[in-house]
Each structure stands twice: as structure tokens, then as C-alpha cells.
Amino acid sequence: MRAALKTLIVLALGTAALLWFVNLDGAVDIRAGAWAITLNLPVALAALLVVVAVLLIFVLLYGALTRLPRRMRTRQAERDRAEGEHAVTRVLVSLAAGRGDVARGEVGRARRLLGDTPQLLLLTAEAARLDGDERGARAAFEALAEREECRFLGLRGLLRQAVADEDWDRARSLAAELAKTEPQAAWVREERAQLALRTENWREALELAGKGGPRAQLAFAAARQEADPEAALKLEQEAVRADVGFAPAALSLAQRLRKAGHPKRARALLAESYGKSPNPEVAAALLEPVADAAARLRLVEDFTRSAVRHPESRLIRARACLDAGQADRARQELLAAMADGSADRRHVALLAEADPDNAARWHAEAATAADAPGWRCAHCGATYAEWHPRCASCGTVGEIHWSAAARGGAEVQAAA
Ligand SMILES: [Zn+2]
């Protein structure tokens, strides 16, 4: 009802306006030189309206025609983007499904549609790797590495390839580049640390090792690689600071101190090392400058005080007692180790010497006694005659420790 009323009002107003327009009184003269025309006002206004309308239509048509190619290009680009995104999805699905060949086809299509974006270069490399084409992957990683904003991604891929190829020189230079690109990245640090361990670059491995790393072992391994004696000394000092109980470093540093005319400092260092981790080689180094049996026994009593009940201490004291003519005390020491179950083959064998009346019994028991402590890989159990930074059996670094034999356990004997 209201709509009908509105229409009626509009029609009435329109008719009134038209009547008013047609009945307008007046004329328009148009003169050009001798030529002249006179139009009455409604006709002139109608003609003007027609001219304006024609001009307007022409302008609109012209605009639409000039915008047409750009609009077509935009539509094509939108279609390409949509198709390209579908192709990217198919690449991701193919990669997840382990279909390298399909992924490569789709990624080629996506690159044609979307161009060489960093994401597509990365997917190209991953697809090529999955398809076994390392050369293609390398080309894509190199293209990534050339772009400032995604240099890290390219270098990272190239480093992974170099490590897989065991091309250590290239891997090292790529890792150095990566460290420059992203100095704070934890991944770079971890990768460089792994690389240093694999290439036995112990100094770098030490620099990159965290606080929980085998610092004493790495520092001592680096000292052994060092040609400059001053630098080697500093590294050994670092090793001893990290773990004074690590016997190889303590022994080597003590030897340097003795050579440099500091026997007391050498003795103090060895005694501290023994107290932390009783080791027969450290004890032997402490006793080396002393020849007299009574003086040796006094020295032994002194440095074993910090680990008085340790089986190594009991063995060393028993030996010193025997040498000083105190067989009874020697026997007590060894029997105490037997009683608490910490004795090994060496204790039983020495007991045969300290207790000659029962020598046959002790010799028989020595055959079944536990093995002496030694250098053992905590990771795989391989044993070594001397310490090494890396286990030749399992490849682990910093896991060879001085330790007692696992009683009753099978042992792996690795080539030293
Ligand atoms: Zn091992």
C-alpha cells in the first residue's frame, strides 16, 4: 500500500515536472557568423541533455575498453595463483607420501605458475633430494643462498648435503658462512659442534661445547693437537680446571711443571687428582721421584688419605707396606678390600705375596677375580689400554672413562 502510494506520488511529480518543462517559455539563439538558429527553450534543453548523455556513454565505454587488458591479466594471475597453490598442496602431500617424482612434477608446475619464490625453491630442493637428484637439489639450494632474505635456508641445505657427502672442507666453510648469517641460531652452533667432533677439530669442539660437554677431555685432546707449547699448556690447565680427576691431563700438566722446575706444584696437582679419582698411573707419577721404601710408604699414606677406603688406595698402600717390610699391614689392607667386595685380580695376586702360606689358594682365586679397572667407553663398553678422545668402536666422543670392570658383564675389546 505504502509502495503504491510512493509510486503514485513519484508519477504525479514527474508528470508535473514534464508539463512544467514543456510549457517553459523562452528561446535560445545560436549564432555563428551569418548563420543563426533559434530554438525554443524546452527543445534546446532536451538537445543539451542528449549531447551530455552521448558524451557520458562514450567516456564510460572508452574507460571500460582501456581497463579490459589489465582486468584480463589480473584474472589470469588470480587463476594462476589458485592453480599454483593447488600444485603446492600436491607437492606437500607428495613429499609427505615419499613420492619424489610426483613432487618434482608438481613443483615444476607451481614454479611456472607462481615464479621462483623462496618457498618453491626450497620445495624444489626437497623434492629433488627425495627423488635422488642431489645435483638438482644443490642447484635449488644455491639459488636460495643467492637471495639475501633466504640465504640461511640455502646454506643450511648445502651444509646438509656436504655432511652427507662427507665433504668436510666444504662443510666447514659453509658452517662458517652460516655462523656469519645467523650467529645466534642454536642449530648452527650445534651443527658446527658436531662437525668439529667429526673432523676431530678438538679446539673448535671445545669452544662450541656447552657447559655440560666433556670439557676436560676436549681441552686435553686439543692440547695434544697443539704445536705451540704455550697454547698446549693453557689447554691442559683448562682441562685440569674442568676436571682435576681426569688423569691424562693431570699427568701431562704435572710433567710440564716438573720440567719447568716446579716439583711441589706437580705433586700437589697429582695428589689432588688422585683424591678426586684414584688412578694407578697418577699414584705411580707421585711415587716416581721417591726411591726409599719408608719414604714411599709415608708419601702413599699421605696422598691416599683423601680416598682412604678406595680399592686403589688399599692396593697401593699394601704394595708400599710390603716393600717397607710390613707384610701384616699389607695383608689387612688387601683382606679389607676382599671383605667389602671391591678387590680385583691385582689385590688377590698381591695377597699371594703378602700371605705366602696360602699362596696357592690366592693364585687360584685370582683367576676368577674381577678385572682391574681400565679405560672404558661408557657408551658401548669397549676397553682401551690408554685414553682416547673418541671411541673407535662406537664413535662417541668424550665417553672413555677410567672405571672398574662391570662384574660378570661381557666386554668389548677395541683396538687401542
Ligand atoms: Zn664406545
Side-chain angles (χ1 to χ4, degrees):
M1 182 66 193
R2 192 179 275 184
L5 206 64
K6 249 187 204 172
T7 315
L8 267 177
I9 291 169
V10 169
L11 274 174
L13 283 174
T15 312
L18 195 65
L19 284 172
W20 172 78
F21 182 73
V22 170
N23 292 323
L24 268 181
D25 202 14
V28 175
D29 281 349
I30 300 170
R31 288 172 201 281
W35 184 82
I37 186 168
T38 301
L39 293 170
N40 66 16
L41 192 57
V43 173
L45 283 176
L48 187 65
L49 270 176
V50 168
V51 168
V52 167
V54 167
L55 271 176
L56 199 65
I57 287 168
F58 180 76
V59 166
L60 286 175
L61 261 177
Y62 178 77
L65 279 173
T66 49
R67 279 197 301 273
L68 191 63
R70 204 173 64 196
R71 209 175 267 182
M72 280 168 73
R73 277 201 303 276
T74 310
R75 283 219 183 117
Q76 185 61 42
E78 276 168 9
R79 268 200 302 274
D80 285 355
R81 192 162 51 242
E83 273 184 52
E85 277 165 9
H86 275 127
V88 170
T89 308
R90 286 194 294 271
V91 174
L92 292 171
V93 170
S94 310
L95 283 177
R99 295 287 312 274
D101 51 338
V102 180
R104 287 187 84 179
E106 291 296 344
V107 84
R109 189 174 150 73
R111 278 172 79 176
R112 278 193 300 280
L113 291 164
L114 301 174
D116 281 350
T117 63
Q119 293 90 329
L120 283 177
L121 283 172
L122 186 63
L123 288 176
T124 302
E126 294 301 337
R129 289 200 75 185
L130 189 60
D131 202 25
D133 177 12
E134 289 295 329
R135 211 185 249 196
R138 184 168 169 164
F141 284 134
E142 278 170 352
L144 269 176
E146 276 165 20
R147 297 194 185 184
E148 202 53 48
E149 78 276 17
C150 52
R151 188 165 166 69
F152 182 84
L153 280 174
L155 290 173
R156 185 177 187 268
L158 291 171
L159 174 61
R160 270 162 57 193
Q161 281 193 309
V163 169
D165 295 345
E166 302 197 348
D167 183 349
W168 303 122
D169 287 342
R170 185 171 154 76
R172 248 197 306 273
S173 79
L174 285 165
E177 275 295 302
L178 269 165
K180 268 189 250 161
T181 316
E182 286 282 340
Q184 300 303 321
W187 179 84
V188 176
R189 203 181 159 81
E190 179 59 29
E191 203 65 16
R192 286 179 67 208
Q194 287 299 328
L195 209 54
L197 292 180
R198 281 190 193 206
T199 55
E200 307 206 338
N201 182 349
W202 303 125
R203 185 182 264 278
E204 192 164 313
L206 174 69
E207 280 164 16
L208 294 165
K211 280 194 177 152
R215 297 196 69 84
Q217 298 209 27
L218 290 174
F220 183 60
R224 293 207 306 191
Q225 278 180 338
E226 189 55 69
D228 171 23
E230 272 298 307
L233 171 69
K234 282 196 176 128
L235 284 164
E236 281 183 2
Q237 285 170 331
E238 185 171 351
V240 164
R241 267 199 306 278
D243 179 11
V244 72
F246 178 51
L251 283 164
S252 186
L253 185 57
Q255 205 172 13
R256 275 181 208 276
L257 288 169
R258 272 183 186 156
K259 271 191 198 157
H262 304 297
K264 278 190 181 170
R265 281 172 61 192
R267 196 166 63 212
L269 167 64
L270 290 169
E272 193 188 350
S273 176
Y274 184 90
K276 174 96 186 290
S277 171
N279 179 293
E281 282 185 56
V282 173
L286 273 160
L287 289 166
E288 192 194 311
V290 186
D292 176 62
R296 281 169 78 90
L297 179 55
R298 276 198 302 279
L299 179 58
V300 164
E301 282 171 340
D302 189 42
F303 76 74
T304 59
R305 198 164 291 136
S306 52
V308 74
R309 290 193 167 78
H310 195 278
E312 202 63 48
S313 297
R314 292 202 193 279
L315 183 73
I316 293 163
R317 275 200 306 272
R319 179 76 263 171
C321 286
L322 262 180
D323 292 344
Q326 299 186 21
D328 282 352
R329 218 184 125 196
R331 213 164 34 243
Q332 281 169 17
E333 291 282 5
L334 296 167
L335 287 170
M338 299 278 284
D340 67 18
S342 64
D344 60 49
R345 192 166 294 141
R346 299 169 304 160
H347 295 80
V348 190
L350 194 59
L351 202 47
E353 212 178 309
D355 183 17
D357 294 344
N358 295 309
R361 176 190 159 197
W362 298 126
H363 280 308
E365 274 200 30
T368 56
D371 283 337
W375 292 108
R376 263 180 197 79
C377 173
H379 190 247
C380 72
T383 59
Y384 295 89
E386 55 185 42
W387 172 81
H388 295 276
R390 179 196 297 281
C391 173
S393 177
C394 71
T396 322
V397 170
E399 285 295 333
I400 298 178
H401 303 289
W402 181 261
S403 66
R407 280 159 202 268
E411 296 242 0
V412 185
Q413 196 80 36

